[in-house]
Amino acid sequence: MRLTALNTGLTITLGFLIAAYATSAFAFDEVEVEETVVVAEEGSEEIIEGEEVVEEEDAPPTLAEVSYAVDNVVLFIAAVLVLFMQAGFSMVEAGFNSSKNSVNIMFKNVMDVCVGVFLYWLIGYGLMYPGEGNGYFAFGGVGVSETLGSSPGAGVLHPQVDWLFQVAFAATAATIVSGAVAGRMKFGSYLVYSAVLTGLIYPVSGYWKWGGGWLDQMGFYDFAGSIVVHAVGGFAGLAGALVLGPRVGRYSSSGKPQAIPGHSLPLATLGVFILWIGWYGFNPGSQLAFTGQANTDATMLIAANTTLAAAVGGILATVLSWMFFKKPDLSMALNGVLAGLVGITANCDSVTNVEAMVIGAVAGVLVVLSILALDKLKIDDPVGAFPVHGVCGVWGGIATGIFGDYDLGVQVLGSVVIPAYAFVTMFILFMILKSAGVLRVSPEEEAKGLDITEHGMQAYSAG
Amino acid sequence: MRLTALNTGLTITLGFLIAAYATSAFAFDEVEVEETVVVAEEGSEEIIEGEEVVEEEDAPPTLAEVSYAVDNVVLFIAAVLVLFMQAGFSMVEAGFNSSKNSVNIMFKNVMDVCVGVFLYWLIGYGLMYPGEGNGYFAFGGVGVSETLGSSPGAGVLHPQVDWLFQVAFAATAATIVSGAVAGRMKFGSYLVYSAVLTGLIYPVSGYWKWGGGWLDQMGFYDFAGSIVVHAVGGFAGLAGALVLGPRVGRYSSSGKPQAIPGHSLPLATLGVFILWIGWYGFNPGSQLAFTGQANTDATMLIAANTTLAAAVGGILATVLSWMFFKKPDLSMALNGVLAGLVGITANCDSVTNVEAMVIGAVAGVLVVLSILALDKLKIDDPVGAFPVHGVCGVWGGIATGIFGDYDLGVQVLGSVVIPAYAFVTMFILFMILKSAGVLRVSPEEEAKGLDITEHGMQAYSAG
Amino acid sequence: MRLTALNTGLTITLGFLIAAYATSAFAFDEVEVEETVVVAEEGSEEIIEGEEVVEEEDAPPTLAEVSYAVDNVVLFIAAVLVLFMQAGFSMVEAGFNSSKNSVNIMFKNVMDVCVGVFLYWLIGYGLMYPGEGNGYFAFGGVGVSETLGSSPGAGVLHPQVDWLFQVAFAATAATIVSGAVAGRMKFGSYLVYSAVLTGLIYPVSGYWKWGGGWLDQMGFYDFAGSIVVHAVGGFAGLAGALVLGPRVGRYSSSGKPQAIPGHSLPLATLGVFILWIGWYGFNPGSQLAFTGQANTDATMLIAANTTLAAAVGGILATVLSWMFFKKPDLSMALNGVLAGLVGITANCDSVTNVEAMVIGAVAGVLVVLSILALDKLKIDDPVGAFPVHGVCGVWGGIATGIFGDYDLGVQVLGSVVIPAYAFVTMFILFMILKSAGVLRVSPEEEAKGLDITEHGMQAYSAG
């Protein structure tokens, strides 16, 4: 060990000196070349379209180009934040579930993104936003156009970043379901479900609103997806939970609920914080354009409203759990935060701060009540996916009509139709898988845990 | 305990409902103005002020608007990074503590943000930055103005994003304390503490400097809050640790320190990396404006200095722990990184790279020495909150006078007065809670762990 | 052991103090210039160069300044994302390893960043990007210039943010190795390795390409570092794994592989998600300029290609592992995602979406095959660092010639020379450390675990 010290010291010192001296002369010789390399990356527009535009090489960006850069780069950053939510979902769902099923649920989350990215590129995006170059099968071209059709400017989005932002939303809808069906659904069948949802079901109802379909034309409003994303995921999850039935032992033979506690609340807490952070991509990013005073102002209002709804949702769920259970319940608080976030998603650009807090408060109450209600109804939703995303998603859609100055009737309509569509189509899919005998693992496999039986590995190993 | 629940529940619920209902009339009065923000997404500036400016609908953003967009969006991203620090604090504090108290400490972190967001909206922001529309009680209006008073341009901040950035700082100050009082403080009393700190104590001393108060007028400088945020949290934590006394078994009957090891160093390490990342919102974001060469240049210097101080702080703490304990100690290294970050916070815009490294190095030494000193003094601070945030916060304030070309005397004054104020006010609060018999759990509860006794749940479950 | 501590301590401390003191005179000379940056926050451009330009105080940013702000701020955000990858590496490597070695490997990750930041500031950056003010020893000045030499505008990078982005890459290369040598390499020797790699080896080959050296002049292309970063790390790791030999018990006396399962797949999964997110800084950030239509467009294409390659890599690895092992393997899926990311890194700006998916697919296949091959060859690489970063890094470099319209011969040359250089130099270094008897811990220490024997602590504690 003494030699370590000596070696450390000598090697570091000698290494530095050799490197410094050996390179320095060489380095100075190349200085001129190096300079041109740095600048080189910037500005080759001269070869585009085969034209030679020699003078343009050093032309600085125009104001329209800078606006275009800001709008697209900010949407890109928002997309990254939404994709980060997948880490949050993984941790929440693994944390709230048994350790023996952790590998399985995280694997499902990972595949939701991987399969979702591929299929939403191939089909989903083109179905949801029909247009030139969007959708391989639907339009016979490449999946998503890799080049910008129109000339750049404020509010013009590059197709690639628009796709990236939208695929992150599709993956979110898919991943919500994994929590509701945790601990008993086969991995292979889950992949089928995931592919159908992100490739087909989600894009169709998404088109109804965001693609300019019939609900959009009726005036239905859903800013960032309380209905289009969260309620779709939540109601698809409910369908899965109903068709699968509860986990073995979740309700006693006399029908009494027996809690199966989550195996790691630290992971669940981390996951909720990550989801909260990711929501700053979800909601503010949905403004889609950020330059121009109206856009910038809206983005800032959205960010604050999102924060306030989350916080008040967390407070109300804590208070309510304290009243009901005599002790404040961390799981409820965490779900309350998520409930507030889901509730504000449809209307974060359309309400005042106070209204945002009222929406978050109601969501915080609803999530606790509906978790208790599911237990009464003996529906086993291990992470509360339906209460959080289903119930509070619908609340968000309706709240947009109450507070947001949109037609309440149309809001109720959209908030019923889209979730019902997701529920029915997914119910049918889950029933088909059930009939085929591939939906649920055997009771023996369930007892051993899906990690071992489905994947031959365990989440944790000693040593 | 039941009365605690009932009282806390009713107080918060009532407070919320009163605020919501009292404001609603006002809020609805503002609907017209508010609407301009909402519809603005579709490019409308034509309804503003009731004027019809039909032609302007498609007007591209002006240069002033693009500057405004960049400044506000970047501050928003910085706020998101600072909020992400809450995930870091949760993981660090849970990881460095016993697993039997993990739910409790993470719950405290979650509530710090939730309660902090609500109260800093309602009161704190208005106290700290008095101005039109800031602070419900203080100014009889909405908590924080939802619309921009002045015309947009470079350096003009939308009130909502300014609030968001500031509330993230307030929540940081609050959360620091949870580490120092871990493992023995009642949850209900912690909520009282948290509300008082974010609603009252932090805003008042924050006003002294950042709100333009007397310390600011004397020339005291604290760029991003070594004193205003970190030392306030650190000294409030010291007050809590002193009033509470050490955890049972932390010091033997003969007074010998007996380490209570953290239950998960992976979580703690993850937490420190997250905090480091979050600091890139904390420090660079505090530049507040990012367009204009001077602002951009300053932001880049700040980012590099923050990195260098963290790295050198980590190295020095590692080396020192290696010398003292014969083996390099990961906990010390992690605290050294945080120490460097706290130390550079006040002066990251005012020093050279080399000075930043010297500040980080000294912080890395100070944190190890003060952790050892606390142990000698039998003060039990489970995560080292006071050494990291208190001691190195003060060091940061003073270092600003040594390296940063600010008056050393004034720096020392501010670096003594604000921490002393936080310590004394919080000491009084903790003493009041102690006299009321609601500060500390019973020895039996402490032995069982706060997770079970306060929340009826455990952080980890087998199966 | 005492001397180790002392010597290491003194060497580092002295090195630091020398640097600090030697630079201080220079630094203080620059105080006037430096000050303009500092005060700039308050809106002053009037003191620059000593001129009084009273009217300019409120001058709004010019278009060039706004472009400059966007380019630099976005690169700063990208750098933050790349630095976040360190959290990902920590979690992946800790999760895929035994719990008894977790503290050790996370400590190595932390030190990779801390030591890397210091040495890359002091030496590495100057070696890699020779220029005025870059590199302390080589150029007798500060390590990296704190002020901008040229006038601001689109594509002009502030030296501090350029350094920050580059140091994050250097730390990435270094950290890759820690996974390959996990569970048996001494901490002190690892510090030596880490210092040599980030201070000397990586900068030299980095200079060959990104600094404008001979490979760059030959037309070799590596957009974001499949070769320059990942293959360097991967092949250095292979050298380490070969010189160290496998962990005790990894292969039975008859040569049969015996898996040593990772201790926490939740941490590993979290880590991969974080790495994926961090790659959005790694690849899109490498565009280095973001304003100007060509730059913005390229950035968006890069982001989408990165996503598609990762997703398809994950799918292919899952499918292949399912075929080989009869069950889908989460570890393989996670490594498949990383493989896709590494493969697309060199060419993400140069290929179409479909080509990106092909590159990701091949990477997903290669990573599974090479993990199996290493096992046949009895090379113990605990986290698959060589298959992911080495093999798929080389694949990325070659794929750039196949799909990316660069000369295939030159691509193959660069994809062989740089990895070979890293392998040979690191092999020599590891052999020197081995000859000195300081490379590997004793079998007894290995059995107990490096956490206890090297650091006197454990990753997890009950209670």
Side-chain angles (χ1 to χ4, degrees):
Chain A
M1 277 311 282
R2 287 184 198 175
L3 277 176
T4 306
L6 214 70
N7 278 326
T8 309
L10 285 178
T11 312
I12 295 182
T13 314
L14 283 176
F16 291 168
L17 293 176
I18 292 162
Y21 284 79
T23 321
S24 57
F26 181 73
F28 273 120
D29 286 348
E30 303 288 2
V31 153
E32 298 315 303
V33 175
E34 206 271 320
E35 281 304 288
T36 62
V37 168
V38 171
V39 196
E41 193 175 359
E42 300 151 28
S44 50
E45 287 168 321
E46 73 272 47
I47 337 174
I48 291 172
E49 310 293 326
E51 293 179 11
E52 298 234 27
V53 194
V54 179
E55 304 306 69
E56 271 187 37
E57 183 164 4
D58 295 299
T62 64
L63 181 56
E65 281 183 312
V66 175
S67 294
Y68 174 68
V70 171
D71 283 341
N72 281 270
V73 165
V74 173
L75 190 66
F76 156 65
I77 294 171
V80 171
L81 285 171
V82 181
L83 286 166
F84 191 33
M85 291 173 73
Q86 296 293 333
F89 278 113
S90 282
M91 294 301 105
V92 167
E93 297 183 4
F96 277 151
N97 273 289
S98 306
S99 63
K100 68 181 179 183
N101 300 319
S102 293
V103 167
N104 184 261
I105 203 162
M106 294 187 301
F107 208 160
K108 286 170 178 170
N109 293 160
V110 172
M111 283 296 107
D112 281 326
V113 200
C114 291
V115 173
V117 161
F118 177 60
L119 288 181
Y120 197 77
W121 181 90
L122 197 67
I123 310 170
Y125 185 70
L127 286 178
M128 190 156 164
Y129 300 97
E132 223 176 294
N134 291 351
Y136 191 86
F137 288 132
F139 301 92
V142 289
V144 176
S145 173
E146 285 144 22
T147 51
L148 182 67
S150 52
S151 52
V156 175
L157 296 179
H158 195 283
Q160 296 270 295
V161 74
D162 189 49
W163 169 81
L164 187 67
F165 190 67
Q166 299 302 340
V167 76
F169 276 57
T172 300
T175 288
I176 290 166
V177 172
S178 57
V181 301
R184 54 214 196 276
M185 184 170 174
K186 284 194 179 185
F187 186 72
S189 287
Y190 186 84
L191 291 187
V192 173
Y193 141 77
S194 182
V196 172
L197 191 95
T198 48
L200 188 62
I201 303 300
Y202 169 81
V204 166
S205 56
Y207 166 77
W208 294 348
K209 166 58 197 150
W210 291 342
W214 65 277
L215 272 169
D216 191 53
Q217 286 163 27
M218 284 187 66
F220 176 67
Y221 195 73
D222 184 359
F223 180 70
S226 288
I227 296 296
V228 173
V229 180
H230 292 279
V232 164
F235 276 81
L238 178 65
L242 283 173
V243 176
L244 277 161
R247 286 167 292 173
V248 172
R250 180 66 179 82
Y251 299 98
S252 72
S253 48
S254 62
K256 205 168 160 259
Q258 295 172 310
I260 301 177
H263 88 277
S264 174
L265 289 183
L267 292 186
T269 305
L270 174 65
V272 169
F273 273 121
I274 291 176
L275 285 171
W276 189 337
I277 291 304
W279 236 284
Y280 290 111
F282 212 93
N283 285 4
S286 292
Q287 181 68 18
L288 298 179
F290 310 95
T291 56
Q293 191 195 346
N295 286 318
T296 308
D297 289 354
T299 307
M300 302 308 133
L301 176 69
I302 292 163
N305 279 345
T306 300
T307 310
L308 288 162
V312 174
I315 293 173
L316 264 284
T318 301
V319 169
L320 217 63
S321 76
W322 209 333
M323 287 167 60
F324 285 167
F325 312 138
K326 313 298 177 226
K327 297 191 174 186
D329 182 307
L330 178 60
S331 313
M332 290 296 178
L334 296 174
N335 274 327
V337 166
L338 298 181
L341 289 165
V342 170
I344 199 68
T345 294
N347 42 59
C348 46
D349 69 325
S350 314
V351 298
T352 65
N353 287 175
V354 172
E355 290 166 343
M357 286 189 272
V358 173
I359 291 169
V362 173
V365 171
L366 284 176
V367 77
V368 174
L369 296 181
S370 45
I371 286 173
L372 297 177
L374 280 190
D375 232 16
K376 292 265 181 212
L377 298 167
K378 299 192 189 58
I379 299 169
D380 183 18
D381 176 355
V383 305
F386 176 70
V388 168
H389 302 276
V391 174
C392 294
V394 169
W395 161 239
I398 294 172
T400 307
I402 299 173
F403 300 104
D405 214 34
Y406 291 92
D407 186 87
L408 183 56
V410 175
Q411 289 305 119
V412 171
L413 178 72
S415 304
V416 168
V417 168
I418 292 184
Y421 154 81
F423 179 81
V424 170
T425 54
M426 285 293 110
F427 193 90
I428 293 170
L429 176 68
F430 285 119
M431 284 304 289
I432 293 172
L433 293 168
K434 189 177 186 176
S435 318
V438 297
L439 184 66
R440 185 165 177 158
V441 299
S442 71
E444 296 73 34
E445 289 171 321
E446 194 178 329
K448 280 189 198 163
L450 305 193
D451 292 1
I452 279 292
T453 57
E454 293 260 280
H455 309 290
M457 54 207 313
Q458 287 182 296
Y460 300 94
S461 300
Chain B
M1 273 311 281
R2 284 180 200 179
L3 276 175
T4 307
L6 214 72
N7 277 327
T8 312
L10 286 178
T11 309
I12 297 181
T13 313
L14 282 177
F16 176 78
L17 291 176
I18 290 163
Y21 280 76
T23 321
S24 59
F26 180 81
F28 281 113
D29 284 350
E30 304 289 5
V31 149
E32 298 315 304
V33 175
E34 208 268 321
E35 273 309 279
T36 63
V37 172
V38 173
V39 200
E41 186 191 3
E42 270 90 0
S44 56
E45 287 166 322
E46 73 273 50
I47 339 175
I48 290 172
E49 308 294 325
E51 293 179 12
E52 298 234 28
V53 194
V54 178
E55 305 305 71
E56 272 188 38
E57 185 163 2
D58 294 299
T62 63
L63 181 57
E65 281 182 313
V66 175
S67 295
Y68 173 69
V70 172
D71 283 342
N72 281 269
V73 166
V74 174
L75 191 65
F76 157 65
I77 294 170
V80 171
L81 286 170
V82 180
L83 286 166
F84 191 33
M85 290 172 73
Q86 296 293 333
F89 278 113
S90 283
M91 294 302 105
V92 167
E93 296 183 4
F96 277 152
N97 272 290
S98 306
S99 63
K100 69 181 179 184
N101 300 319
S102 293
V103 167
N104 183 261
I105 203 162
M106 294 187 301
F107 208 162
K108 286 170 178 171
N109 293 160
V110 172
M111 284 295 108
D112 281 327
V113 200
C114 292
V115 173
V117 161
F118 177 60
L119 288 181
Y120 198 77
W121 181 91
L122 197 67
I123 310 170
Y125 185 68
L127 285 178
M128 192 156 161
Y129 299 97
E132 223 177 296
N134 292 351
Y136 189 85
F137 289 133
F139 301 93
V142 289
V144 176
S145 173
E146 285 144 22
T147 51
L148 182 66
S150 52
S151 51
V156 175
L157 297 178
H158 194 284
Q160 296 270 294
V161 75
D162 188 50
W163 169 80
L164 188 66
F165 190 67
Q166 299 303 339
V167 76
F169 277 58
T172 300
T175 288
I176 290 166
V177 172
S178 56
V181 301
R184 54 215 197 274
M185 184 169 173
K186 284 194 178 184
F187 186 72
S189 286
Y190 186 84
L191 291 187
V192 172
Y193 142 76
S194 182
V196 171
L197 191 95
T198 49
L200 187 62
I201 302 301
Y202 169 80
V204 165
S205 56
Y207 167 77
W208 294 348
K209 166 58 197 148
W210 290 343
W214 66 276
L215 273 168
D216 191 53
Q217 285 164 25
M218 283 186 68
F220 176 67
Y221 195 72
D222 184 359
F223 179 71
S226 287
I227 296 297
V228 173
V229 179
H230 292 279
V232 163
F235 276 82
L238 178 66
L242 282 173
V243 176
L244 278 161
R247 286 167 293 173
V248 172
R250 179 66 179 83
Y251 298 99
S252 72
S253 49
S254 61
K256 208 169 158 255
Q258 296 172 310
I260 300 176
H263 89 277
S264 174
L265 288 183
L267 293 186
T269 305
L270 173 65
V272 168
F273 274 121
I274 291 176
L275 286 170
W276 188 337
I277 290 304
W279 236 285
Y280 291 112
F282 211 93
N283 285 4
S286 292
Q287 181 68 17
L288 298 177
F290 311 96
T291 56
Q293 191 195 343
N295 286 317
T296 307
D297 289 354
T299 307
M300 303 307 134
L301 177 68
I302 292 163
N305 278 346
T306 300
T307 310
L308 288 163
V312 174
I315 293 172
L316 264 282
T318 301
V319 168
L320 216 63
S321 75
W322 209 333
M323 288 167 61
F324 286 166
F325 312 139
K326 315 299 178 221
K327 297 190 172 184
D329 182 308
L330 178 59
S331 313
M332 289 296 178
L334 296 174
N335 274 326
V337 166
L338 298 181
L341 289 165
V342 171
I344 199 68
T345 295
N347 43 59
C348 46
D349 69 325
S350 314
V351 299
T352 65
N353 285 176
V354 172
E355 289 166 343
M357 287 189 271
V358 173
I359 291 169
V362 172
V365 171
L366 283 177
V367 77
V368 174
L369 296 181
S370 45
I371 286 173
L372 297 177
L374 280 191
D375 233 16
K376 292 264 181 213
L377 297 168
K378 299 192 188 59
I379 299 169
D380 183 18
D381 176 354
V383 306
F386 175 69
V388 168
H389 302 275
V391 173
C392 294
V394 168
W395 161 239
I398 294 171
T400 307
I402 300 174
F403 300 104
D405 215 36
Y406 291 93
D407 187 88
L408 183 56
V410 175
Q411 289 305 118
V412 171
L413 178 72
S415 303
V416 167
V417 167
I418 291 183
Y421 154 80
F423 179 81
V424 170
T425 53
M426 285 293 110
F427 193 90
I428 294 170
L429 176 67
F430 286 118
M431 284 303 290
I432 293 172
L433 293 168
K434 188 176 186 178
S435 318
V438 295
L439 184 65
R440 184 164 178 158
V441 299
S442 72
E444 295 73 35
E445 290 171 321
E446 195 178 329
K448 280 188 198 166
L450 304 194
D451 293 1
I452 278 292
T453 57
E454 293 260 279
H455 309 290
M457 55 207 314
Q458 287 181 296
Y460 300 95
S461 301
Chain C
M1 276 309 283
R2 288 183 198 176
L3 277 175
T4 305
L6 213 73
N7 276 326
T8 310
L10 284 178
T11 309
I12 298 182
T13 312
L14 281 177
F16 176 78
L17 290 176
I18 290 162
Y21 281 75
T23 319
S24 58
F26 179 81
F28 280 115
D29 284 351
E30 303 290 6
V31 149
E32 298 316 304
V33 175
E34 209 268 323
E35 274 306 282
T36 63
V37 172
V38 173
V39 199
E41 186 193 3
E42 271 90 1
S44 57
E45 287 167 322
E46 73 272 49
I47 340 174
I48 291 172
E49 309 296 324
E51 292 180 12
E52 298 235 28
V53 195
V54 179
E55 305 306 68
E56 272 188 36
E57 182 163 5
D58 294 300
T62 63
L63 181 56
E65 281 183 313
V66 175
S67 295
Y68 174 69
V70 171
D71 282 342
N72 281 270
V73 165
V74 174
L75 190 65
F76 157 65
I77 294 169
V80 171
L81 285 170
V82 181
L83 286 166
F84 190 34
M85 291 172 73
Q86 296 294 331
F89 278 114
S90 283
M91 294 301 104
V92 168
E93 297 184 3
F96 277 152
N97 273 290
S98 306
S99 63
K100 69 181 178 183
N101 300 319
S102 294
V103 166
N104 183 261
I105 203 162
M106 295 186 301
F107 207 160
K108 286 170 178 170
N109 293 161
V110 171
M111 284 295 107
D112 281 327
V113 200
C114 291
V115 173
V117 161
F118 177 60
L119 288 181
Y120 197 77
W121 181 91
L122 196 66
I123 308 170
Y125 185 70
L127 286 177
M128 191 156 163
Y129 300 97
E132 221 177 297
N134 292 351
Y136 188 85
F137 288 133
F139 302 94
V142 288
V144 176
S145 173
E146 285 144 22
T147 51
L148 182 67
S150 52
S151 52
V156 175
L157 296 178
H158 194 283
Q160 296 270 295
V161 74
D162 188 48
W163 168 81
L164 187 67
F165 189 67
Q166 300 303 339
V167 76
F169 276 58
T172 300
T175 289
I176 290 166
V177 173
S178 56
V181 300
R184 54 216 197 274
M185 184 170 174
K186 285 193 179 185
F187 186 73
S189 286
Y190 186 83
L191 291 187
V192 173
Y193 142 76
S194 182
V196 172
L197 191 96
T198 47
L200 184 64
I201 302 301
Y202 169 81
V204 166
S205 57
Y207 167 75
W208 293 349
K209 167 57 198 151
W210 291 343
W214 66 276
L215 272 169
D216 190 55
Q217 286 165 25
M218 284 187 67
F220 176 67
Y221 195 71
D222 184 0
F223 180 70
S226 288
I227 296 296
V228 173
V229 180
H230 291 280
V232 164
F235 276 82
L238 179 65
L242 283 172
V243 176
L244 277 161
R247 286 167 293 174
V248 172
R250 180 66 180 81
Y251 299 99
S252 72
S253 48
S254 62
K256 208 172 157 251
Q258 296 173 309
I260 301 177
H263 89 278
S264 174
L265 288 183
L267 292 186
T269 305
L270 173 65
V272 169
F273 274 121
I274 291 176
L275 285 170
W276 188 336
I277 290 304
W279 237 284
Y280 291 111
F282 211 92
N283 285 4
S286 292
Q287 181 67 17
L288 297 178
F290 311 96
T291 56
Q293 192 195 345
N295 286 317
T296 307
D297 289 355
T299 307
M300 303 308 134
L301 176 68
I302 292 163
N305 279 346
T306 301
T307 310
L308 288 163
V312 174
I315 293 172
L316 263 283
T318 300
V319 169
L320 217 64
S321 75
W322 209 333
M323 289 167 59
F324 286 166
F325 312 139
K326 313 296 176 227
K327 298 191 171 182
D329 181 309
L330 178 60
S331 313
M332 289 296 178
L334 296 174
N335 274 327
V337 167
L338 298 180
L341 290 165
V342 171
I344 199 67
T345 296
N347 43 59
C348 46
D349 69 325
S350 313
V351 299
T352 66
N353 286 175
V354 172
E355 289 165 344
M357 286 188 273
V358 172
I359 292 170
V362 173
V365 171
L366 284 176
V367 76
V368 174
L369 296 180
S370 45
I371 286 173
L372 297 175
L374 280 190
D375 233 16
K376 292 265 181 213
L377 298 167
K378 298 193 189 59
I379 299 169
D380 183 18
D381 176 354
V383 306
F386 176 69
V388 169
H389 302 276
V391 173
C392 295
V394 168
W395 161 240
I398 294 170
T400 307
I402 300 173
F403 301 105
D405 213 35
Y406 292 91
D407 186 88
L408 184 56
V410 175
Q411 289 306 118
V412 170
L413 178 73
S415 304
V416 167
V417 168
I418 291 183
Y421 154 81
F423 180 80
V424 170
T425 53
M426 285 293 109
F427 194 90
I428 294 171
L429 176 68
F430 285 119
M431 284 303 289
I432 293 173
L433 293 168
K434 188 176 186 178
S435 318
V438 297
L439 184 64
R440 185 165 176 157
V441 299
S442 72
E444 295 74 35
E445 289 171 322
E446 195 178 329
K448 280 189 199 165
L450 304 193
D451 292 0
I452 279 292
T453 57
E454 293 261 279
H455 309 290
M457 55 206 314
Q458 287 181 297
Y460 300 95
S461 300

